[in-house]
Amino acid sequence: MSRPFAPSENTSAPRNDVGRRVWLTLVVLHRYLGVALGLLMLVWFLSGIVMMYVPYPQRGEQERTSALAPIPWEQCCNFSGVTLAGGNLIETALVENVADRFVMRLRSDAAPIIADLTNGQILSIGEAEADRIAEITAERIVGGAPAIGPAEKIESDQWTVGDNGVNRRALYRFAFEDADDTRLYISSVTGEVVVWNTREQRFWNWLGAIPHWLYFTEVRRDVELWGQIIIWTSLLGTFLTVIGLYLGIARFRTGRDGRLSPYYGWFYWHHLTGLAFGIVTLTWVLSGLFSMQPWGFLESSPGNERQALAGAYPQWSEVQTSLDTIRNEAMTDIVSLRAAPFGGNLFWLATHQDGRITRLDDRGNPTALTQGDLAQATKVLAGERAIESAEMLPSEDAYYFRFQQGFAERDPLVLPVYRITLSDDDDTRYYLNPSTGQLLLRVDSAGRGFRWLFNGLHRWDFTAMLRSRPLWDIVVLILMIGCTGRVATGVYLALRRIRLDLGV
């Protein structure tokens, strides 16, 4: 068997002493960082393959509303004990069925509350209410009535630790005795079904998203610490990959024997896979760093566009009057009613049991958004800035597409979409739902950078054709397997050489 040509030997090293020292320093750094970070990078690539097919358990809006029972309009509306001053402006209002009660979740200029409009009081979600919500939800997500274990009250666990919203603090966790071993989580503050998952999802996520994101419970509880770990391991991984690329290119050769490398055995294959997949490895590690938007890089400036589109928020008295009127309409199949003020007027978005969404005026009449409404929205969003274009887009474009960061992957993409492009320093784009007037996406210069440097490089979704499957699967799997082979051979060789150095 041929003896492997080891990277520490100096055959290809620079001839002068300074160059030789630098070369050997890089070799040693690459070797020892390759063990410390190579194992982590190997986990990133292997778990990334799993994530291509099994996403982290998250609840999209369409999935959330599909688990709701119809709103019991016959119980509406008792406002007597709802201690919200009549003059308060309502920022959000959501009507749903919670434990067989007519309930409204409210956010005003005061603290958010959940109001039981059946009894006219502020609702507290106790164990009895949570049990009933679990029973109702089980019928819709499991398709039957499985036995349900007793509620466990928790702050968070592996599947909820990343969501620290005030509405989800203190959860009731239920275990269903169904074939999928389903787990369900309900907020003790709002009665909202936060998420549910199955045994299969939990298993594959321990091999996918959890190790890929380092999403371990104790680490993720400290959001700042978790973010710093991701940032610095990604930076070191980038440094390791750059060193490897430099060493690999420096040792690249072509000769009469047709060999591209001076190495033999596993060193030979590590060298060639490094040359073939080194740049791809670098883009994946670097784009993973960009996903964290470190030190404000690629962070978009905050805007108040949604408030501007809403105009003046409705007062509590307006909401009460509207609900008193709407309850007389025959709308027995509505599972969710969300306030959607537009242009200073109160409108509602009604979600039906079949998933349809209807826009209603304050009296409950179906009211479509007009071209005049869209034109007015364009002026509001533009303000003093010049309008380059405002058009109805029938399909995806480079910034508005199925897996754009920020869209729930379980929810359908709204098409056609109304796109507004401004002639400002950021070439800002807005995408509106033409049926409801909701702002779906805002893209400025930082957002465009994030789209290409994270979405593009990390997910390989540069074009609509590349995003189409199975083409995307074929391309990404080939690259994933190549990068995995590069990292795996590097870790093996580094460990073997360190054992020799230590005389083990």
Side-chain angles (χ1 to χ4, degrees):
M1 180 177 177
S2 301
R3 181 176 67 89
F5 191 93
S8 59
E9 298 183 52
N10 299 332
T11 304
S12 301
R15 295 182 179 276
N16 63 79
D17 289 341
V18 175
R20 186 177 294 109
R21 290 194 193 98
V22 171
W23 177 267
L24 292 178
T25 299
L26 291 176
V27 168
V28 172
L29 275 173
H30 186 63
R31 181 186 306 157
Y32 285 90
L33 274 178
V35 173
L37 285 170
L39 286 170
L40 178 58
M41 292 174 67
L42 183 60
V43 168
W44 281 342
F45 283 111
L46 291 172
S47 59
I49 294 173
V50 176
M51 288 183 69
M52 292 171 63
Y53 303 100
V54 184
Y56 192 74
Q58 291 177 321
R59 183 212 61 191
E61 178 63 14
Q62 187 178 65
E63 188 176 29
R64 186 190 76 83
T65 55
S66 70
L68 297 174
I71 295 172
W73 288 100
E74 69 280 1
Q75 299 180 21
C76 180
C77 295
N78 184 347
F79 303 103
S80 60
V82 181
T83 55
L84 185 68
N88 281 17
L89 298 179
I90 303 301
E91 296 179 14
T92 61
L94 177 65
V95 176
E96 289 177 346
N97 182 336
V98 176
D100 298 323
R101 299 180 185 180
F102 187 99
V103 162
M104 174 178 281
R105 299 185 180 98
L106 289 164
R107 179 183 292 274
S108 65
D109 48 6
I113 62 169
I114 176 170
D116 180 355
L117 300 187
T118 299
N119 300 319
Q121 61 186 16
I122 304 301
L123 179 62
S124 175
I125 304 297
E127 191 169 322
E129 288 79 14
D131 287 341
R132 181 56 185 148
I133 296 169
E135 290 174 7
I136 295 170
T137 306
E139 295 174 5
R140 287 164 171 77
I141 67 173
V142 176
I148 304 175
E152 298 177 78
K153 197 168 185 179
I154 63 171
E155 287 297 319
S156 63
D157 67 1
Q158 181 64 62
W159 311 105
T160 59
V161 68
D163 193 337
N164 295 316
V166 66
N167 291 338
R168 298 185 179 182
R169 278 291 182 175
L171 303 168
Y172 289 106
R173 179 175 60 193
F174 291 90
F176 293 179
E177 296 179 14
D178 63 326
D180 293 327
D181 192 19
T182 304
R183 298 287 184 271
L184 180 77
Y185 298 81
I186 296 170
S187 169
S188 65
V189 178
T190 65
E192 179 184 13
V193 174
V194 174
V195 73
W196 60 83
N197 55 57
T198 63
R199 181 195 303 110
E200 183 177 4
Q201 288 176 315
R202 294 190 294 272
F203 172 80
W204 284 111
N205 270 275
W206 276 109
L207 301 177
I210 294 172
H212 193 83
W213 295 336
L214 304 183
Y215 227 61
F216 305 103
T217 306
E218 294 306 317
V219 176
R220 190 67 179 94
R221 281 200 175 106
D222 189 332
V223 177
E224 182 65 26
L225 173 63
W226 172 78
Q228 290 301 310
I229 290 173
I230 297 293
I231 289 170
W232 287 103
T233 52
S234 299
L235 277 173
L236 288 172
T238 300
F239 180 59
L240 170 65
T241 307
V242 169
I243 292 175
L245 277 169
Y246 171 74
L247 296 176
I249 293 171
R251 290 291 181 93
F252 176 77
R253 72 177 192 183
T254 56
R256 294 180 181 178
D257 59 357
R259 291 178 54 80
L260 304 177
S261 169
Y263 302 115
Y264 293 87
W266 285 109
F267 281 108
Y268 176 79
W269 292 110
H270 179 62
H271 189 199
L272 291 191
T273 55
L275 290 171
F277 297 99
I279 293 295
V280 179
T281 303
L282 178 62
T283 60
W284 263 326
V285 177
L286 192 59
S287 58
L289 169 66
F290 293 152
S291 73
M292 300 301 295
Q293 298 172 307
W295 309 291
F297 180 60
L298 300 180
E299 277 190 10
S300 296
S301 57
N304 64 344
E305 288 89 355
R306 286 183 171 81
Q307 182 176 347
L309 287 172
Y313 286 126
Q315 294 195 7
W316 178 223
S317 58
E318 292 179 67
V319 174
Q320 294 179 51
T321 301
S322 179
L323 285 179
D324 272 330
T325 304
I326 291 175
R327 69 176 178 173
N328 297 318
E329 301 294 327
M331 296 184 293
T332 57
D333 69 333
I334 292 179
V335 296
S336 181
L337 188 71
R338 184 185 300 273
F342 187 86
N345 296 310
L346 177 59
F347 295 92
W348 300 88
L349 299 181
T351 303
H352 301 263
Q353 282 185 291
D354 60 4
R356 291 180 299 111
I357 297 177
T358 304
R359 184 173 184 258
L360 309 175
D361 64 15
D362 62 346
R363 301 186 62 81
N365 301 312
T367 306
L369 205 68
T370 66
Q371 286 297 319
D373 293 330
L374 291 174
Q376 181 60 33
T378 303
K379 293 179 181 178
V380 168
L381 291 173
E384 300 299 320
R385 297 171 293 180
I387 300 169
E388 181 178 311
S389 64
E391 57 189 333
M392 199 69 72
L393 195 67
S395 59
E396 301 177 356
D397 68 3
Y399 300 100
Y400 180 84
F401 52 93
R402 180 68 180 85
F403 295 112
Q404 167 67 4
Q405 182 76 357
F407 292 155
E409 296 187 357
R410 295 178 183 268
D411 287 337
L413 189 71
V414 174
L415 285 173
V417 66
Y418 188 68
R419 182 179 66 187
I420 302 165
T421 306
L422 304 182
S423 295
D424 60 353
D425 293 338
D426 285 332
D427 292 325
T428 308
R429 294 186 181 192
Y430 297 103
Y431 298 82
L432 302 185
N433 185 325
S435 299
T436 67
Q438 289 176 296
L439 177 62
L440 301 173
L441 181 66
R442 170 182 178 260
V443 182
D444 57 12
S445 57
R448 278 191 295 278
F450 190 83
R451 182 266 178 272
W452 297 114
L453 294 178
F454 172 65
N455 285 98
L457 293 178
H458 209 72
R459 298 182 177 183
W460 280 76
D461 57 11
F462 296 105
T463 65
M465 184 179 75
L466 187 56
R467 287 193 296 273
S468 64
R469 308 184 87 158
L471 176 62
W472 181 81
D473 300 78
I474 295 169
V475 171
V476 176
L477 277 175
I478 290 172
L479 296 177
M480 280 281 199
I481 292 170
C483 291
T484 301
R486 173 188 183 274
V487 175
T489 55
V491 170
Y492 168 72
L493 292 170
L495 284 170
R496 191 173 74 174
R497 182 52 193 256
I498 289 172
R499 287 182 59 192
L500 290 173
D501 292 344
L502 297 176
V504 179

